[in-house]
């Protein structure tokens, strides 16, 4: 196996802390509780930090390392269908699309959540419906994200969950 340091500690911390807080806010914390609001603020802060780190962070943390171009997405899909694709050092194009999708969803959830805590929007049902609808959408996307990680780990023989814990991707030697 060839081991490459890919994800720095800040990327991994943001990933797991965001996942934990999103899940807790969705399933455990009461929607009208202060802890739900505070967890939401922390998620928003983590997303802002990730967006900034995506611009100035380490090599594989930068969005430029995995920006999903249409040509790359098409090539990746063709490779999946023909069962040929070398696992990338950073994210594959579909994984990159999901990252940006989840970041956008988390920003929208946060903004609508902040709106709900204001005096002006507090009693507006459409804001609450939008907040809950985007959260439901994000939960579906998280499920697709996990399924994609498991699929890609099996397909490429690169344990992506372990890599997001250790920061190192271990690639099989060519021809194995």
């Amino acid at each position: 196996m060839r081991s490459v340091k890919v994800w720095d500690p800040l990327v991994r911390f943001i990933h797991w802390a965001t996942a934990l807080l999103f899940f807790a806010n969705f399933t455990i914390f009461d929607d009208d509780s202060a802890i739900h609001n505070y967890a939401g603020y922390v998620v928003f802060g983590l997303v802002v930090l990730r967006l900034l780190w995506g611009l100035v962070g380490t090599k594989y943390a930068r969005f430029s390392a995995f920006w999903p171009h249409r040509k790359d997405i098409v090539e990746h899909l063709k490779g999946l269908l023909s069962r040929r694709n070398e696992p990338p050092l950073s994210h594959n194009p579909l994984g990159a699309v999901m990252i940006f999708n989840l970041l956008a969803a988390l920003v929208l959830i946060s903004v609508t959540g902040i709106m709900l805590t204001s005096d002006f929007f507090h009693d507006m049902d459409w804001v609450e419906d939008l907040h809950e609808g985007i959260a439901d959408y994000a939960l579906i996307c998280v499920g697709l994200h996990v399924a994609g990680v498991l699929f890609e780990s099996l397909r490429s023989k690169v344990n992506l969950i372990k890599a997001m814990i250790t920061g190192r991707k271990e690639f099989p030697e060519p021809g194995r």
Side-chain angles (χ1 to χ4, degrees):
M1 296 293 265
R2 177 175 61 106
S3 180
V4 179
K5 185 178 180 185
V6 178
W7 291 305
D8 63 71
L10 184 60
V11 167
R12 297 189 322 259
F13 172 77
I14 291 170
H15 176 272
W16 292 113
T18 301
L20 178 68
L21 288 170
F22 175 80
F23 182 75
N25 251 3
F26 203 94
T27 61
I28 299 169
F29 303 147
D30 182 36
D31 293 350
D32 293 327
S33 70
I35 195 164
H36 179 91
N37 294 344
Y38 292 132
Y41 296 142
V42 172
V43 167
F44 186 54
L46 289 167
V47 170
V48 168
L49 181 59
R50 181 62 185 100
L51 292 171
L52 292 172
W53 197 239
L55 299 174
V56 299
T58 56
K59 179 178 179 179
Y60 297 111
R62 284 189 222 128
F63 298 139
S64 59
F66 58 90
W67 191 262
H69 299 284
R70 185 175 26 170
K71 177 183 77 81
D72 298 331
I73 294 168
V74 170
E75 287 300 313
H76 182 71
L77 289 170
K78 286 180 185 176
L80 286 175
L81 293 174
S82 66
R83 296 183 181 212
R84 63 164 170 72
N85 266 353
E86 290 296 317
L89 285 176
S90 187
H91 298 283
N92 71 46
L94 293 179
V97 168
M98 183 56 80
I99 288 167
F100 291 114
N101 174 57
L102 285 169
L103 288 171
L106 289 168
V107 166
L108 292 173
I109 293 166
S110 298
V111 168
T112 55
I114 291 167
M115 289 170 68
L116 286 169
T117 64
S118 73
D119 291 336
F120 186 77
F121 292 103
H122 179 70
D123 292 324
M124 294 190 178
D125 289 339
W126 71 268
V127 179
E128 186 170 349
D129 292 343
L130 185 59
H131 180 75
E132 291 174 0
I134 298 167
D136 290 341
Y137 169 79
L139 187 63
I140 292 166
C141 291
V142 166
L144 292 171
H145 169 63
V146 170
V149 165
L150 294 173
F151 171 79
E152 188 63 16
S153 291
L154 291 171
R155 188 191 71 76
S156 68
K157 297 179 180 41
V158 175
N159 187 334
L160 296 174
I161 296 170
K162 181 179 176 186
M164 189 48 82
I165 293 169
T166 66
R168 301 189 76 80
K169 273 187 171 182
E170 294 179 358
F171 296 90
E173 294 296 329
R176 292 189 181 192

